[in-house]
Amino acid sequence: MGMHVKIPSEFAQQAERRVWFDRQHAEQMLDWIEDSGQRFLGMDVAQKQDDGNWVLLLETLDLSRQTDNFEAIRRGRDFLREYDGAGRMFEPVWEGRST
């Protein structure tokens, strides 16, 4: 995945790795994406290993063809619930909308 507008500093400070978040903060990012009128494109998920390394999982949510942003956000929340677990981190992907 990969299109991002500049992330607000209050979220950047919560990221453990660049724009990767635990479930709680990923849900807050979805709120911000929705409230600020950004277009939600999907989400990647990674698993922290015992040695401290991160592995990108094959499970990914690609909503780049989804035209209804409300539905995309809802599916993002479902994805978070389904793939949440110990050591899991999520990367929401969005693009800015010109107003």
Side-chain angles (χ1 to χ4, degrees), residues 48-90:
K48 189 172 190 174
Q49 304 298 301
D50 291 338
D51 62 4
N53 288 317
W54 291 87
V55 175
L56 185 63
L57 302 181
L58 295 176
E59 294 84 358
T60 176
L61 179 63
D62 181 1
L63 300 172
S64 59
R65 295 189 176 157
Q66 175 70 41
T67 58
D68 182 351
N69 202 48
F70 178 82
E71 176 65 14
I73 296 288
R74 185 195 66 75
R75 290 181 59 193
R77 292 184 196 290
D78 290 345
F79 183 83
L80 286 172
R81 279 190 296 277
E82 185 174 345
Y83 289 102
D84 188 28
R88 292 279 170 95
M89 298 295 283
F90 300 92

